Amino acid sequence: MDILTVVLLLVAFLLILYELRVQLSTHYRAGKKFPGPRALPLLGNAHNLLFNDQRRTFQLPRGWAATYGDTYRILVRGILNLNAFQAKDVEPLLSSPKLIEKSMIYSLLHRFLGIGLLNSTGSKWQHRRRILTPAFHFNILPSFLLTFQEECRRLVAQIGQYADKGAPVALQPLATKFTLNTICETAMGIKLDSMTMANEYRSKIEAIGTMLLQRLMNPWLFEDFTYKLSGLQGRFEKLLQPVHAFTRSIIQQRRELFHQNVRNIGDFSEENIYTNLKQRYAMLDTLLAAEAKEQIDEDGIREEVDTFTFEGHDTTSAAVIFTLLLLAHSPDVQQRLYEELQEVAQSRTDADDEFNQRDYTELRYMDMVLKESLRLYPPVPFISRNISEDTMFGDRLVPKDTLFNVHIFDLHRDPAVFPDPERFDPDRFLPACVAERSPYAYVPFSAGPRNCIGQRFAILELKTVLAAILTHFRILPVTKREELVFVADLILRTKDPIMITLQYASGRAAIISPIVLAQLCITPFGTTG
């Protein structure tokens, strides 16, 4: 028997041992209690995941959800992956104060965002959550609202140019620019358009997202060794360098201003910071106050600023895009929203032309419209956790170190909860309807201990931009809903641009002329430090 034969037999023997070990493992035995596609020896279900494009990758779990009708399993590298899309299995995960550890998927973000609020767990996550929660307090939101309204004036001016020509508008570039500007000013205290490197910063953020997705879709790139060997790690690091340099520069600038204005306060509470700052409040000020109290260091501040900048603009941009698409196909909903805006405007006692926070709170139908839009098109269609201890889900054991994925896109389309799920119907969120269903059947901002810290911030921003657009324009459809082709990405995204057209709404009191719009487009609003 030659050496090659011996080697091949040894390899075959080791592979058989590996497969026997997998089949005798707790994960394999637990997985038998869940339906799922056939797992092959050695490969598990890796063959189902490999060599798919972005479109196929998005469609795959939709097909499995329809086929199995229950939480289903796949096995990858001997690890049990469970995929839930019904409230009965989502609730025990999201409501648990213990099952808060993000899955290995989020480790791909560590070089970019560090291990901050999004990626951390345990005591570090609890510590960061305590530091950041006051930055989104109800009393702080009015400061952010001023930023939203300024950027809305810029947006209205920009889209007014399309309305003048009757030209179709591609929503993604406009929405992304708007939300990135707002999050940079509210998170870091700077107007991105005032920075000479604004366009470079935007392009780097987009390129980073593309590379992260490329790694996510190719499991052989998960390991740092193979990622480095492929040459992609070097390219990724080059993208990160200017982004992190930009963030550190902004932090340093804001730190100097912060200490100039608050060094004599003594009390670093949000109320005192908000009252005494000579420039507009930013989330970064909360972090700088924590740094002054030695609760966080410079790298920790950068982690959180990068996290909120990245997470806070793309998700809100997606919500803006899909809500405008739905309204373009729903003129009756548009009209009802406009009438509600007029009612609130007429009932105001404040002489100021701009709505205040209380006014936006009164837009209850708009609340329902936004909730229904986020049901149909959740900006984050998928979240993933690591099961940190053996847990019972109903009568089925889910062992430690299982990856548990919540497919929010499918959860929101459960026909048992949302009949005719593809229909856009804001009345689904009438109080009586909401009371009848599980709170875990609708989780666009996640739920439980790790729910989105910025959801009130996001809703206020969405209300502000919708109110600004609907006050001036009617939205007309170009892209049809049935034409949407979704692709796998870090957020919900379509293969092709989503297009609408806009018309000046005759008879609406607050219409701005094209000349004034042009002036608004070039009027400097100043910087906030």
Side-chain angles (χ1 to χ4, degrees):
M1 186 178 295
D2 58 29
I3 293 177
L4 179 60
T5 303
V6 172
V7 170
L8 290 174
L9 287 172
L10 180 60
V11 169
F13 176 72
L14 292 174
L15 290 175
I16 290 170
L17 283 180
Y18 174 80
E19 179 62 19
L20 286 173
R21 181 185 174 190
V22 168
Q23 294 198 21
L24 292 173
S25 69
T26 304
H27 279 204
Y28 188 90
R29 286 184 279 114
K32 287 186 174 182
K33 295 187 178 181
F34 296 87
R38 182 172 174 242
L40 298 179
L42 301 177
L43 290 177
N45 293 106
H47 64 291
N48 296 117
L49 305 179
L50 299 177
F51 311 117
N52 291 315
D53 60 16
Q54 286 178 270
R55 178 179 178 178
R56 173 66 178 162
T57 299
F58 184 86
Q59 290 175 334
L60 200 58
R62 314 288 82 84
W64 282 335
T67 299
Y68 301 114
D70 188 12
T71 296
Y72 60 90
R73 57 101 188 106
I74 58 174
L75 286 166
V76 181
R77 299 196 307 180
I79 299 173
L80 177 62
N81 287 252
L82 294 179
N83 300 271
F85 54 92
Q86 293 175 326
K88 67 179 178 65
D89 286 333
V90 172
E91 179 171 1
L93 178 77
L94 298 187
S95 65
S96 171
K98 297 180 179 179
L99 304 178
I100 62 171
E101 183 180 330
K102 296 295 182 76
S103 79
M104 61 180 291
I105 293 172
Y106 293 81
S107 67
L108 303 185
L109 297 169
H110 287 178
R111 283 292 302 132
F112 174 30
L113 303 179
I115 308 176
L117 192 65
L118 176 68
N119 294 322
S120 59
T121 192
S123 60
K124 182 174 183 178
W125 171 77
Q126 292 169 349
H127 177 64
R128 293 289 175 86
R129 182 90 179 197
R130 281 195 298 270
I131 290 175
L132 286 162
T133 294
F136 296 95
H137 190 275
F138 188 81
N139 293 335
I140 302 296
L141 290 180
S143 177
F144 295 153
L145 178 57
L146 295 174
T147 298
F148 299 157
Q149 290 171 334
E150 287 179 359
E151 290 300 333
C152 281
R153 288 195 288 272
R154 291 173 176 265
L155 179 64
V156 166
Q158 192 169 5
I159 62 179
Q161 299 170 20
Y162 293 92
D164 288 339
K165 302 172 184 177
V169 181
L171 289 174
Q172 198 270 344
L174 292 174
T176 300
K177 181 178 180 180
F178 168 79
T179 57
L180 189 55
N181 282 353
T182 57
I183 195 64
C184 281
E185 185 170 355
T186 54
M188 294 189 284
I190 61 102
K191 281 188 177 294
L192 195 57
D193 279 342
S194 72
M195 307 294 291
T196 56
M197 63 172 295
N199 289 333
E200 181 185 7
Y201 181 72
R202 288 193 189 94
S203 67
K204 291 292 189 295
I205 289 290
E206 292 173 5
I208 286 168
T210 299
M211 289 201 71
L212 285 169
L213 178 68
Q214 182 182 16
R215 190 176 184 187
L216 179 63
M217 292 177 60
N218 294 279
W220 59 84
L221 296 176
F222 270 39
E223 299 297 334
D224 290 339
F225 173 76
T226 53
Y227 192 53
K228 183 176 182 179
L229 197 62
S230 70
L232 293 173
Q233 181 177 321
R235 288 172 52 195
F236 189 64
E237 293 293 333
K238 286 182 180 179
L239 286 174
L240 291 179
Q241 288 173 3
V243 169
H244 287 167
F246 173 75
T247 305
R248 286 194 173 95
S249 172
I250 295 304
I251 291 170
Q252 182 57 35
Q253 292 178 44
R254 190 73 181 188
R255 180 184 286 111
E256 292 171 3
L257 286 168
F258 177 86
H259 286 288
Q260 286 172 14
N261 290 317
V262 303
R263 65 162 58 98
N264 296 321
I265 296 176
D267 179 2
F268 287 105
S269 67
E270 265 61 30
E271 290 78 11
N272 269 339
I273 295 170
Y274 181 71
T275 302
N276 287 277
L277 277 177
K278 294 178 182 178
Q279 69 275 357
R280 191 174 296 172
Y281 178 88
M283 185 199 74
L284 179 50
D285 298 319
T286 294
L287 295 168
L288 292 170
E291 182 185 47
K293 293 182 283 188
E294 299 183 346
Q295 295 175 344
I296 193 171
D297 60 16
E298 182 175 353
D299 286 337
I301 290 176
R302 184 190 59 76
E303 285 178 335
E304 301 305 345
V305 171
D306 281 335
T307 294
F308 278 89
T309 303
F310 181 66
E311 286 288 299
H313 90 275
D314 237 4
T315 53
T316 311
S317 172
V320 170
I321 291 167
F322 288 111
T323 301
L324 293 177
L325 171 70
L326 289 166
L327 291 178
H329 289 279
S330 307
D332 55 331
V333 175
Q334 268 195 74
Q335 182 61 28
R336 189 170 167 186
L337 283 173
Y338 174 70
E339 291 170 359
E340 182 180 59
L341 287 166
Q342 292 298 96
E343 289 172 7
V344 172
Q346 291 166 8
S347 67
R348 298 180 74 239
T349 57
D350 193 335
D352 189 356
D353 290 337
E354 297 279 14
F355 276 18
N356 57 36
Q357 187 177 351
R358 182 180 62 256
D359 297 325
Y360 288 107
T361 303
E362 293 299 314
L363 299 172
R364 293 185 175 88
Y365 185 64
M366 187 177 285
D367 267 326
M368 293 162 57
V369 169
L370 286 171
K371 287 176 180 177
E372 176 68 348
S373 174
L374 294 171
R375 180 191 71 82
L376 279 165
Y377 302 119
V380 180
F382 166 93
I383 58 177
S384 182
R385 299 272 178 89
N386 179 60
I387 300 299
S388 53
E389 59 182 46
D390 290 355
T391 306
M392 295 299 298
F393 283 70
D395 59 352
R396 296 181 291 194
L397 172 68
V398 176
K400 180 181 178 180
D401 293 330
T402 296
L403 296 189
F404 201 106
N405 308 312
V406 177
H407 292 272
I408 298 174
F409 189 89
D410 299 306
L411 175 72
H412 288 181
R413 284 168 166 72
D414 185 348
V417 180
F418 301 104
D420 191 8
E422 291 295 337
R423 179 168 52 89
F424 176 57
D425 180 10
D427 286 347
R428 296 183 201 270
F429 289 91
L430 287 166
C433 297
V434 173
E436 293 177 353
R437 59 179 175 254
S438 166
Y440 293 90
Y442 171 76
V443 292
F445 296 102
S446 189
R450 290 207 75 147
N451 68 338
C452 175
I453 194 174
Q455 57 184 292
R456 285 192 299 189
F457 173 99
I459 291 297
L460 182 59
E461 182 174 3
L462 290 170
K463 283 187 171 184
T464 308
V465 71
L466 279 187
I469 291 173
L470 291 171
T471 298
H472 299 95
F473 305 104
R474 286 194 177 91
I475 310 164
L476 302 174
V478 175
T479 300
K480 298 177 182 178
R481 286 184 61 196
E482 57 269 25
E483 295 173 345
L484 297 179
V485 176
F486 293 99
V487 293
D489 206 329
L490 298 175
I491 64 161
L492 190 65
R493 206 181 299 280
T494 56
K495 177 177 176 289
D496 300 309
I498 292 177
M499 311 287 289
I500 61 169
T501 56
L502 297 132
Q503 290 181 350
Y504 287 114
S506 59
R508 294 191 178 177
I511 294 176
I512 300 178
S513 71
I515 294 175
V516 175
L517 283 171
Q519 291 173 341
L520 275 173
C521 202
I522 60 173
T523 299
F525 292 104
T527 64
T528 59

